Amino acid sequence: MRRNPAARGFETYFLRAVVSAAFLVCLLQIASFHSQYKHYSPSVRFERGFQQFVDPSSIGAGNTTGSVGSKKNGAAVEKIGRPDLKENKLEEDGIKKKGVDYDELADNVDGFTDGFFNGHPLRYRSPAETASVSYHSTSHCIGDNFSEKYSWQYKSCQFQNFCFDTETHEFVLFASPEQRALDEIIGNKNLTFFSPSTGMRGNGVSIGGINAKLGDDVPFLRWFPTVIDSEEAKKSGVYELPPDSVLAPFHSLGGFNPGHLVWDDWLPLYTILSNFGLLEGGRRHVYMRYIMKLESGQRGLWASCDWKVLQCEKIMEKFMPLMAINKTKFSTTQNFVFATATATRSKYVCSPTGVAGLGSATDHGTKTHGWGPKDYESSHNSNRAASLYAFRNYMLTNIGVSTAPLRVMEGRYRIVFSLRSSNASARDMHNFDDHVRPLQKRLGNKYNLEIISKDMSKLSLVEQAELVSSAAIFVTAAGGGAVSATFLPRGASLFVFFQDEEGDKASPARLDWDFFNHLGYVRTHWMPRPKKTPSVAGSKAGPSELDFESFVRLMDHELDIISHLEPFPRPAIS
């Protein structure tokens, strides 16, 4: 079939117009780049300008170097895996996030005018200055159980003068001569049972929360900053963050899932900061998502954020405010922003304080979440109720939501049903209509009920927190979406539905039981068979009349308890 000459002429004209428009866009980009970076050194202007054309949506993939991996005699295993380049798109160093004016974003701190790192101001300390103060790093690690094979899973460390190498994308410690001398004696094979908490030789922590389902890959999480001589700091000097800064790198266990993010990333970060007294005093927390040293052709550790990059970016951005994280000041170890006012004189960006070692500080420790019988043989969160409540209050305060205990307003009892809190077919509850109907019929005249059914994923973070923190009773299916129950007020009740044969070897899967069962501010109850599930033998027929009856009776019991709650605690008896 011959084409119309007029049509061909139009196509030629259209293509020329497209090319001209693209050329104009490039000119505008160059002009914008020149204006934005004209006060920086030529080398920095070129680096930043080139990287601005890299797609910023590909957060979190790339190569790093340094001491990551299973260690033996201080040596790191190099075979760890790398994200798939086609799926994740490698990011360049220091990528410039579009639409962000970092000159406006950077804080103003007196004396810190030599550049910025992820929006935080920097001060350059020259070689002469670092030499005059004998600049070096220290470490203090807690949680050692004296097991050469496993202690790294339980340790957390606080560092002084904790530095990031902007060229290798690794964290470093500058060891003093005294540190080197101590580490040398630690390495003596004739010295036994000598394990100072400030040693650096052969030390290790888990850079992220431990997921037991990683199996043989768990050792890849073993990590420690690269230790170099303090003389290195005297050669080039260092760029230093303000005195209130705390640098906190972490590898995300599964930040694409709200439950994993809050319980396996945010909770352990909060815990180790709290353990070292680094939450008070308006500290400047500089969080960086750590991207592991990876090998070509692989996608990183299973179910980690190195595996599901874009999904993690979306969920992390939504839940960052819980940790008071400004998304424009958060980066991975690949997409950071480092710029200096003059020619760059050092590759090191140093924080006066730093922490690392999420390991077993998650909600489940080194176990899985409740998938198998062994998970129930020991409790990880015993006597942790007070800190879990403090964690809840910390998050709510950061987003401006009240932390007050339960208040029944005008005698009205708010019951919130969380829809689709899990995408697992056995627990994906599109509605709780079969439970709401008998509840209204049997208890509607006894109590003034306000029943709300909501898909939490459709609400903003603040809307979720405000709704749940005002609920008398919260009903959810087990799964990542159940994390919203963390916001419940003191005195509330929690109903968690689980499948009785969804776990390993057809066992009950009371997921995240170790967290919910240790909340001192909430009464937690577990209910089986939320719906008819043909794939689960025990739920092929769905909930029985007895299941609904037990649900209503438990509701009645909890509403009775709530109706007798005193608005204020009784005064202590002297």
Side-chain angles (χ1 to χ4, degrees):
M1 177 178 177
R2 298 185 61 185
R3 301 177 66 188
N4 189 310
R8 289 200 302 271
F10 173 77
E11 291 173 356
T12 301
Y13 173 79
F14 179 75
L15 288 173
R16 287 177 178 173
V18 170
V19 171
S20 298
F23 180 70
L24 179 60
V25 169
C26 288
L27 289 177
L28 292 174
Q29 285 272 16
I30 292 171
S32 173
F33 148 67
H34 176 74
S35 173
Q36 191 169 8
Y37 295 99
K38 62 184 178 182
H39 59 289
Y40 291 118
S41 66
S43 62
V44 172
R45 289 205 305 269
F46 173 79
E47 182 183 13
R48 300 275 90 71
F50 172 79
Q51 289 155 2
Q52 191 166 0
F53 288 89
V54 181
D55 179 10
S57 66
S58 54
I59 299 297
N63 265 331
T64 63
T65 59
S67 54
V68 178
S70 177
K71 295 184 179 180
K72 185 176 182 180
N73 299 325
V77 174
E78 295 182 357
K79 295 183 179 180
I80 296 179
R82 189 177 71 170
D84 182 85
L85 305 188
K86 293 181 180 179
E87 289 196 20
N88 293 341
K89 303 178 184 178
L90 266 176
E91 289 190 320
E92 301 295 334
D93 301 351
I95 190 172
K96 187 77 178 178
K97 297 177 184 178
K98 292 181 180 179
V100 178
D101 187 341
Y102 282 92
D103 296 332
E104 294 295 327
L105 175 66
D107 299 331
N108 294 317
V109 178
D110 290 343
F112 287 77
T113 59
D114 296 320
F116 58 80
F117 181 75
N118 286 349
H120 301 282
L122 298 172
R123 174 184 67 174
Y124 177 66
R125 302 188 75 168
S126 67
E129 186 178 0
T130 56
S132 67
V133 298
S134 184
Y135 191 88
H136 63 275
S137 309
T138 64
S139 69
H140 170 214
C141 300
I142 61 175
D144 191 356
N145 64 2
F146 310 111
S147 168
E148 183 177 348
K149 186 176 182 180
Y150 296 111
S151 66
W152 64 273
Q153 299 183 18
Y154 301 93
K155 285 184 181 180
S156 298
C157 299
Q158 178 182 8
F159 308 107
Q160 301 300 324
N161 295 330
F162 185 41
C163 303
F164 180 68
D165 186 329
T166 59
E167 292 182 2
T168 67
H169 305 177
E170 257 303 334
F171 295 85
V172 301
L173 298 174
F174 294 109
S176 65
E178 294 82 359
Q179 183 74 56
R180 287 298 196 189
L182 173 63
D183 290 345
E184 181 181 2
I185 198 70
I186 291 174
N188 191 314
K189 294 181 179 180
N190 295 321
L191 185 66
T192 58
F193 305 115
F194 184 70
S195 53
S197 62
T198 54
M200 294 182 184
R201 182 187 179 94
N203 214 337
V205 299
S206 179
I207 187 62
I210 293 173
N211 187 341
K213 288 193 173 184
L214 289 174
D216 293 340
D217 287 342
V218 167
F220 291 148
L221 288 167
R222 180 168 181 168
W223 176 90
F224 200 74
T226 303
V227 181
I228 58 180
D229 288 335
S230 58
E231 290 298 318
E232 288 297 316
K234 301 173 186 177
K235 293 180 180 179
S236 63
V238 300
Y239 286 95
E240 194 171 56
L241 290 161
D244 59 351
S245 301
V246 182
L247 185 56
F250 69 99
H251 181 266
S252 181
L253 187 154
F256 56 88
N257 177 298
H260 283 303
L261 178 62
V262 173
W263 293 325
D264 298 328
D265 291 347
W266 291 173
L267 175 60
L269 282 169
Y270 169 88
T271 299
I272 62 176
L273 288 169
S274 177
N275 286 344
F276 290 112
L278 299 174
L279 287 174
E280 301 81 11
R283 296 275 186 166
R284 179 193 300 266
H285 299 122
V286 184
Y287 298 104
M288 295 184 74
R289 185 168 72 75
Y290 188 91
I291 300 197
M292 301 188 70
K293 184 179 180 181
L294 303 163
E295 191 173 72
S296 178
Q298 297 183 18
R299 295 180 58 190
L301 293 182
W302 172 80
S304 72
C305 278
D306 291 354
W307 181 287
K308 296 187 176 183
V309 178
L310 298 182
Q311 298 96 316
C312 278
E313 178 189 0
K314 178 181 177 181
I315 296 299
M316 274 195 171
E317 184 173 312
K318 181 173 183 176
F319 288 86
M320 280 180 183
L322 293 174
M323 294 293 285
I325 299 174
N326 184 328
K327 67 179 182 180
T328 57
K329 293 186 178 182
F330 177 85
S331 78
T332 69
T333 49
Q334 293 291 332
N335 75 327
F336 56 89
V337 176
F338 171 47
T340 57
T342 60
T344 303
R345 290 172 281 183
S346 175
K347 63 180 181 178
Y348 299 113
V349 173
C350 298
S351 175
T353 308
V355 294
L358 275 62
S360 61
T362 63
D363 68 306
H364 59 89
T366 57
K367 307 181 299 180
T368 58
H369 296 263
W371 287 106
K374 285 190 175 181
D375 290 340
Y376 304 92
E377 292 177 357
S378 63
S379 293
H380 176 68
N381 294 303
S382 296
N383 301 313
R384 202 180 181 184
S387 63
L388 296 178
Y389 185 56
F391 173 58
R392 175 253 188 196
N393 291 342
Y394 175 79
M395 293 191 294
L396 290 180
T397 298
N398 284 336
I399 59 175
V401 175
S402 172
T403 61
L406 177 62
R407 294 286 186 269
V408 178
M409 306 302 293
E410 300 178 352
R412 195 170 182 84
Y413 300 90
R414 174 172 287 181
I415 301 175
V416 176
F417 287 82
S418 177
L419 308 181
R420 309 205 68 174
S421 55
S422 172
N423 57 14
S425 60
R427 289 171 277 117
D428 188 358
M429 298 297 293
H430 294 270
N431 64 72
F432 279 94
D433 292 349
D434 291 340
H435 295 82
V436 171
R437 281 191 292 269
L439 178 61
Q440 289 177 320
K441 181 179 179 180
R442 295 272 300 279
L443 302 180
N445 294 327
K446 185 175 181 179
Y447 304 98
N448 184 7
L449 301 180
E450 179 188 10
I451 298 176
I452 299 173
S453 296
K454 286 287 185 181
D455 183 340
M456 296 293 157
S457 67
K458 305 298 183 183
L459 303 179
S460 70
L461 176 61
V462 172
E463 288 172 338
Q464 283 188 44
E466 288 180 338
L467 176 62
V468 178
S469 65
S470 66
I473 298 177
F474 187 73
V475 183
T476 182
V483 70
S484 300
T486 307
F487 303 134
L488 281 167
R490 181 179 290 281
S493 296
L494 170 63
F495 287 47
V496 186
F497 278 95
F498 68 98
Q499 280 292 4
D500 49 316
E501 295 181 346
E502 188 186 5
D504 297 341
K505 298 180 180 179
S507 62
R510 300 177 182 89
L511 303 182
D512 306 305
W513 71 274
D514 206 331
F515 177 82
F516 289 128
N517 282 9
H518 289 93
L519 296 182
Y521 62 97
V522 170
R523 296 180 302 282
T524 301
H525 313 284
W526 296 86
M527 308 290 292
R529 295 176 294 279
K531 66 175 186 176
K532 181 178 180 179
T533 308
S535 60
V536 178
S539 298
K540 284 184 177 179
S544 66
E545 289 300 319
L546 184 59
D547 288 316
F548 291 119
E549 178 66 21
S550 63
F551 173 76
V552 173
R553 289 194 185 187
L554 182 56
M555 273 281 181
D556 189 12
H557 181 262
E558 290 304 301
L559 289 167
D560 177 67
I561 291 176
I562 293 169
S563 70
H564 289 86
L565 288 178
E566 296 183 3
F568 300 99
R570 296 178 181 178
I573 299 176
S574 58

